[in-house]
Amino acid sequence: GGGPAGISCAYYLALMGHKVKIFEQRKHLGGMLRYGIPSYRLPREDLEAEIQWILDCGIEVETERSIDGMDLDRMRTTYDAVYLAIGAHSDKKLGLEGEDAEGVVSAVQMLRAIGDGEMPDFTGERVVVIGGGNVAMDVARSSVRLGAEKVIIAYRRRICDMTAQDAAIAGAEAEGCQIMELNAPVRIETTEDGRVAGVVVQPQIIGAPRRGRPAPRAAAAPEQLIPCDRVIVAIGQDIDSGSFE
């Protein structure tokens, strides 16, 4: 893996005098620094310069190379040591009706495409972002930059309970993103041809603390439909470690 952990490991091993090679699955090194943080927060020029400075220590790189179990077996005999730094590049699912509709994308997918320079066109679209972390703010603000007409962030807790940094929340609001706090997604409405038509949310109230944060529960209020053209799911990442088990 050629993300922050893999590159850092390679750098320190190279300083110690070892010969090091990085195998990276994607087109470029950087991991979540490239594929998780938009360039308006971490300029690509700065990232490229930092990575090149590290590679100039004599580190060899092979990109667009996926590693499976058989590769790992060969590496055990070819190399003195193997360091696994595969990151968390899989998305988490909502588990809601309509989640597979056309127009529903994960934040991981969206930011990965942007990291490779593939900029989606959201011109004139109404976008709903589900989540309350830094990644949710990043994709909401990126949607504005991609031409979205309206961006709504639906979050089941209060704004003060969000895990996103205060500056990221303030930045999203300053750029015109609307935050609908205390609204939990229930299902995704679709058109007859299977496209996103909107997100149905259930208003919430705050209950007793659970796992360190107040737990929301359904309020005695009717469901609401948020009409939209696109839904971006930003509720966290998972590790895809199946090929290494």
PDB file of all heavy atoms in Angstrom, residues 4 50 60 63 74 107 116 125 131 180 235:
ATOM      1  N   PRO A   4      -0.287   6.924   3.471  1.00  0.00           N
ATOM      2  CA  PRO A   4       0.580   7.527   4.483  1.00  0.00           C
ATOM      3  C   PRO A   4       1.400   6.504   5.273  1.00  0.00           C
ATOM      4  O   PRO A   4       2.597   6.712   5.502  1.00  0.00           O
ATOM      5  CB  PRO A   4      -0.400   8.268   5.399  1.00  0.00           C
ATOM      6  CG  PRO A   4      -1.575   8.545   4.534  1.00  0.00           C
ATOM      7  CD  PRO A   4      -1.680   7.388   3.585  1.00  0.00           C
ATOM      8  N   GLU A  50       5.918  16.347  -1.646  1.00  0.00           N
ATOM      9  CA  GLU A  50       6.289  15.576  -0.442  1.00  0.00           C
ATOM     10  C   GLU A  50       6.597  14.121  -0.795  1.00  0.00           C
ATOM     11  O   GLU A  50       7.574  13.539  -0.316  1.00  0.00           O
ATOM     12  CB  GLU A  50       5.145  15.639   0.576  1.00  0.00           C
ATOM     13  CG  GLU A  50       4.954  16.991   1.224  1.00  0.00           C
ATOM     14  CD  GLU A  50       6.016  17.264   2.279  1.00  0.00           C
ATOM     15  OE1 GLU A  50       6.453  16.316   2.963  1.00  0.00           O
ATOM     16  OE2 GLU A  50       6.414  18.435   2.409  1.00  0.00           O
ATOM     17  N   GLU A  60      11.668   2.204  -4.651  1.00  0.00           N
ATOM     18  CA  GLU A  60      11.095   1.752  -5.909  1.00  0.00           C
ATOM     19  C   GLU A  60       9.575   1.640  -5.755  1.00  0.00           C
ATOM     20  O   GLU A  60       9.079   1.296  -4.676  1.00  0.00           O
ATOM     21  CB  GLU A  60      11.688   0.384  -6.282  1.00  0.00           C
ATOM     22  CG  GLU A  60      11.334  -0.099  -7.669  1.00  0.00           C
ATOM     23  CD  GLU A  60      11.949  -1.461  -7.976  1.00  0.00           C
ATOM     24  OE1 GLU A  60      12.815  -1.918  -7.194  1.00  0.00           O
ATOM     25  OE2 GLU A  60      11.530  -2.070  -8.971  1.00  0.00           O
ATOM     26  N   THR A  63       2.920   0.943  -9.388  1.00  0.00           N
ATOM     27  CA  THR A  63       1.512   1.324  -9.218  1.00  0.00           C
ATOM     28  C   THR A  63       0.608   0.429 -10.060  1.00  0.00           C
ATOM     29  O   THR A  63       1.075  -0.363 -10.877  1.00  0.00           O
ATOM     30  CB  THR A  63       1.300   2.797  -9.610  1.00  0.00           C
ATOM     31  OG1 THR A  63       1.768   3.003 -10.943  1.00  0.00           O
ATOM     32  CG2 THR A  63       2.039   3.729  -8.659  1.00  0.00           C
ATOM     33  N   ARG A  74       4.599 -15.503  -2.602  1.00  0.00           N
ATOM     34  CA  ARG A  74       5.852 -15.282  -3.339  1.00  0.00           C
ATOM     35  C   ARG A  74       6.716 -14.242  -2.650  1.00  0.00           C
ATOM     36  O   ARG A  74       7.944 -14.357  -2.608  1.00  0.00           O
ATOM     37  CB  ARG A  74       5.545 -14.846  -4.774  1.00  0.00           C
ATOM     38  CG  ARG A  74       5.045 -15.988  -5.673  1.00  0.00           C
ATOM     39  CD  ARG A  74       5.075 -15.586  -7.135  1.00  0.00           C
ATOM     40  NE  ARG A  74       4.124 -14.523  -7.425  1.00  0.00           N
ATOM     41  CZ  ARG A  74       2.866 -14.765  -7.800  1.00  0.00           C
ATOM     42  NH1 ARG A  74       2.411 -16.004  -7.931  1.00  0.00           N
ATOM     43  NH2 ARG A  74       2.050 -13.756  -8.071  1.00  0.00           N
ATOM     44  N   ALA A 107     -19.142   8.237  -0.609  1.00  0.00           N
ATOM     45  CA  ALA A 107     -18.125   9.284  -0.558  1.00  0.00           C
ATOM     46  C   ALA A 107     -16.768   8.731  -0.983  1.00  0.00           C
ATOM     47  O   ALA A 107     -15.986   9.418  -1.637  1.00  0.00           O
ATOM     48  CB  ALA A 107     -18.049   9.855   0.861  1.00  0.00           C
ATOM     49  N   ASP A 116      -8.214  10.744  -8.923  1.00  0.00           N
ATOM     50  CA  ASP A 116      -7.615  10.343 -10.197  1.00  0.00           C
ATOM     51  C   ASP A 116      -7.871  11.371 -11.299  1.00  0.00           C
ATOM     52  O   ASP A 116      -7.584  11.126 -12.471  1.00  0.00           O
ATOM     53  CB  ASP A 116      -8.168   8.979 -10.635  1.00  0.00           C
ATOM     54  CG  ASP A 116      -7.439   7.831  -9.964  1.00  0.00           C
ATOM     55  OD1 ASP A 116      -6.264   8.002  -9.606  1.00  0.00           O
ATOM     56  OD2 ASP A 116      -8.051   6.751  -9.804  1.00  0.00           O
ATOM     57  N   GLU A 125     -27.719  20.069 -10.073  1.00  0.00           N
ATOM     58  CA  GLU A 125     -28.304  18.955  -9.321  1.00  0.00           C
ATOM     59  C   GLU A 125     -28.591  19.325  -7.867  1.00  0.00           C
ATOM     60  O   GLU A 125     -27.933  20.181  -7.277  1.00  0.00           O
ATOM     61  CB  GLU A 125     -27.375  17.740  -9.362  1.00  0.00           C
ATOM     62  CG  GLU A 125     -27.254  17.105 -10.734  1.00  0.00           C
ATOM     63  CD  GLU A 125     -26.495  15.780 -10.677  1.00  0.00           C
ATOM     64  OE1 GLU A 125     -26.078  15.365  -9.584  1.00  0.00           O
ATOM     65  OE2 GLU A 125     -26.336  15.158 -11.745  1.00  0.00           O
ATOM     66  N   GLY A 131     -24.454  11.776   6.552  1.00  0.00           N
ATOM     67  CA  GLY A 131     -23.297  11.613   7.424  1.00  0.00           C
ATOM     68  C   GLY A 131     -22.962  12.910   8.128  1.00  0.00           C
ATOM     69  O   GLY A 131     -23.490  13.978   7.785  1.00  0.00           O
ATOM     70  N   MET A 180     -29.398  19.495   7.867  1.00  0.00           N
ATOM     71  CA  MET A 180     -30.654  19.083   8.489  1.00  0.00           C
ATOM     72  C   MET A 180     -30.307  18.150   9.646  1.00  0.00           C
ATOM     73  O   MET A 180     -30.138  16.952   9.465  1.00  0.00           O
ATOM     74  CB  MET A 180     -31.556  18.377   7.486  1.00  0.00           C
ATOM     75  CG  MET A 180     -32.194  19.299   6.470  1.00  0.00           C
ATOM     76  SD  MET A 180     -33.369  18.436   5.374  1.00  0.00           S
ATOM     77  CE  MET A 180     -34.623  17.906   6.535  1.00  0.00           C
ATOM     78  N   ILE A 235     -20.759   7.581   5.641  1.00  0.00           N
ATOM     79  CA  ILE A 235     -20.958   7.102   7.015  1.00  0.00           C
ATOM     80  C   ILE A 235     -19.771   6.268   7.501  1.00  0.00           C
ATOM     81  O   ILE A 235     -19.886   5.545   8.483  1.00  0.00           O
ATOM     82  CB  ILE A 235     -22.251   6.293   7.139  1.00  0.00           C
ATOM     83  CG1 ILE A 235     -22.257   5.085   6.182  1.00  0.00           C
ATOM     84  CG2 ILE A 235     -23.464   7.174   6.881  1.00  0.00           C
ATOM     85  CD1 ILE A 235     -23.417   4.131   6.423  1.00  0.00           C
TER      86      ILE A 235
END
